[in-house]
Amino acid sequence: MSRKTSRRHLLAASLALGFGMPSILRGGQLRQIDHTEPCMGTLFTIRAYHHDEEAGYRAIAASFARMHALDQILSDYRPGNELDLLCQRAHIEPIRVSDDLYRVLQFALNVSRQTDGAFDVTLGPVVRMWRTARKAQRLPSLEERHAARALTGWQDLAMNVRRRTVHFAKAGMQIDFGGIAKGYAADAAREVLRKYGILRSSVAAGGDVGALHPPPGETSWRVALEDGQNETATVLLRQSSVSTSGDLNQFVELDGVRYSHIVDPSTGIGLTSRRVVSVVAPTGMQCDALSTAFSVMELPRVKAFLKKNPAATTRVVSLAKASPVVWQSQGFPLARD
Ligand code: AMP
Ligand code: MG
């Protein structure tokens, strides 16, 4: 990660958690412990409150170890890791995978099905093509898009629960967890913190924030949403998570059009709708996958989805016009002050 990028992410993570307060505060002897570290190509921050600072740091170190281990398994940047080996061989025979990989893939496949492929965990070949195109600052040709899209399709991926196996119907398929892995990592870190008894804590995995119980003296965690407006909105979290997806940080501008790093599966290139979507739900994995999915889906489809899945709420900010247009679903936990 470049120094510029890492500074930007550090700032984003710091703002998200409202840093700038003294590091030992309110709540009697409870100490505030903050730790930030690079993981999954961005910066992750854990904030925890505990009486024993050393015990707090031990728990945070264990949480980071867990998240780095997940990065090893789930990243599509690591030749020879579990995901890479799976994608190389799963068209030949069903491949048995680790519990973590199985769990994320099963969830991702469900979201792919429920969103009718707006979120598509098999979009790897298209995401790679689009990444190369963004770097080269040129749109891929229709042939390139067609070839990459032919290698995708969540319907072509079969999982066997009993055997814990994954099987592809065709060669060349690639799984991409870029839209879900950070949320899962934040959930896994929360689990570790809970096991260590660090209950007043939060985990910011880039734009995905998961909270356990609130800081001492507070009723919730306050998380600032990055939404491209001057007045940032703040959500209130308590044993819940929030994810934000959009084109604010990762995009390419070609001929005056801004393309997101989120790909529209129907075209094979980045979204141009200029939307920032935040989702609040019980788990980070849900939030992460749904904020990516809702970026692709038209608003009526998002509304229909939420009707069937009331555990999630969302805020959609459209930046397509001169002044932003905001839509929020009922119950979105925005701070009123
Ligand atoms: P996020 O920032 O969580 O919205 O995730 C964006 C990342 O998800 C991209 O960098 C890709 O790795 C991946 N991705 C892009 N488009 C999609 C899509 N339509 N469905 C699933 N994953 C996607
Ligand atoms: Mg996501």
Side-chain angles (χ1 to χ4, degrees), residues 178-180 208 245 287-289 291-292:
I180 195 170
D208 304 85
S245 286
C287 294
D288 197 356
S291 61
T292 308

Side-chain angles (χ1 to χ4, degrees), residues 97-110:
V97 296
S98 65
D99 285 354
D100 281 316
L101 204 155
Y102 195 90
R103 217 173 290 144
V104 188
L105 187 55
Q106 191 176 42
F107 191 87
L109 197 57
N110 272 336

Side-chain angles (χ1 to χ4, degrees), residues 118-121 123 127 131 176 178-179 245 261-263 265 288 292 296:
F119 178 94
D120 185 348
V121 69
L123 217 53
V127 169
R131 220 185 267 152
D176 185 287
S245 286
H261 67 304
I262 301 171
V263 172
D288 197 356
T292 308
V296 177

Side-chain angles (χ1 to χ4, degrees), residues 184-203:
Y184 183 67
D187 288 342
R190 277 200 293 173
E191 217 32 67
V192 176
L193 290 166
R194 193 174 299 155
K195 270 192 195 139
Y196 275 75
I198 314 284
L199 298 183
R200 294 185 184 278
S201 53
S202 67
V203 182

Side-chain angles (χ1 to χ4, degrees), residues 3-263:
R3 184 173 279 174
K4 200 166 143 208
T5 316
S6 80
R7 244 193 267 126
R8 196 189 60 220
H9 282 285
L10 180 59
L11 186 67
S14 306
L15 284 173
L17 291 179
F19 281 17
M21 292 181 272
S23 74
I24 297 173
L25 41 102
R26 304 165 293 209
Q29 307 101 323
L30 277 183
R31 283 165 179 269
Q32 179 184 306
I33 309 161
D34 297 328
H35 182 70
T36 298
E37 208 171 294
C39 190
M40 297 191 173
T42 180
L43 285 176
F44 285 17
T45 295
I46 293 182
R47 173 171 282 187
Y49 293 87
H50 200 59
H51 297 96
D52 180 345
E53 209 168 332
E54 237 182 85
Y57 273 115
R58 265 200 305 277
I60 290 175
S63 306
F64 268 99
R66 173 86 172 106
M67 294 194 285
H68 286 304
L70 286 175
D71 186 24
Q72 283 294 337
I73 296 172
L74 304 175
S75 167
D76 71 320
Y77 285 98
R78 297 182 191 279
N81 72 352
E82 189 184 359
L83 181 62
D84 183 39
L85 296 179
L86 171 73
C87 293
Q88 281 182 38
R89 294 184 42 226
H91 67 286
I92 303 167
E93 57 184 345
I95 305 291
R96 198 179 160 84
V97 296
S98 65
D99 285 354
D100 281 316
L101 204 155
Y102 195 90
R103 217 173 290 144
V104 188
L105 187 55
Q106 191 176 42
F107 191 87
L109 197 57
N110 272 336
V111 177
S112 304
R113 191 176 299 117
Q114 287 169 349
T115 62
D116 208 10
F119 178 94
D120 185 348
V121 69
T122 68
L123 217 53
V126 170
V127 169
R128 284 180 178 199
M129 174 200 64
W130 182 235
R131 220 185 267 152
T132 310
R134 279 199 289 144
K135 269 193 205 134
Q137 305 247 329
R138 62 159 190 92
L139 282 178
S141 67
L142 281 178
E143 291 74 29
E144 284 173 293
R145 290 192 221 173
H146 183 76
R149 287 180 60 217
L151 299 175
T152 68
W154 54 269
Q155 300 94 332
D156 291 330
L157 193 156
M159 303 182 76
N160 184 303
V161 187
R162 209 165 38 80
R163 299 199 179 105
R164 306 235 124 208
T165 56
V166 178
H167 195 193
F168 296 166
K170 56 197 177 195
M173 286 179 69
Q174 292 279 341
I175 287 163
D176 185 287
F177 287 131
I180 195 170
K182 290 193 203 69
Y184 183 67
D187 288 342
R190 277 200 293 173
E191 217 32 67
V192 176
L193 290 166
R194 193 174 299 155
K195 270 192 195 139
Y196 275 75
I198 314 284
L199 298 183
R200 294 185 184 278
S201 53
S202 67
V203 182
D208 304 85
V209 182
L212 286 174
H213 294 281
E218 307 282 345
T219 50
S220 318
W221 285 90
R222 298 173 65 86
V223 179
L225 300 180
E226 209 190 345
D227 60 9
Q229 299 183 87
N230 291 332
E231 281 181 34
T232 47
T234 302
V235 279
L236 303 175
L237 297 185
R238 193 190 168 103
Q239 304 208 68
S240 56
S241 299
V242 64
S243 284
T244 299
S245 286
D247 65 0
L248 297 176
N249 293 323
Q250 294 193 58
F251 63 90
V252 64
E253 214 163 280
L254 300 172
D255 291 331
V257 180
R258 182 152 158 156
Y259 296 88
S260 169
H261 67 304
I262 301 171
V263 172

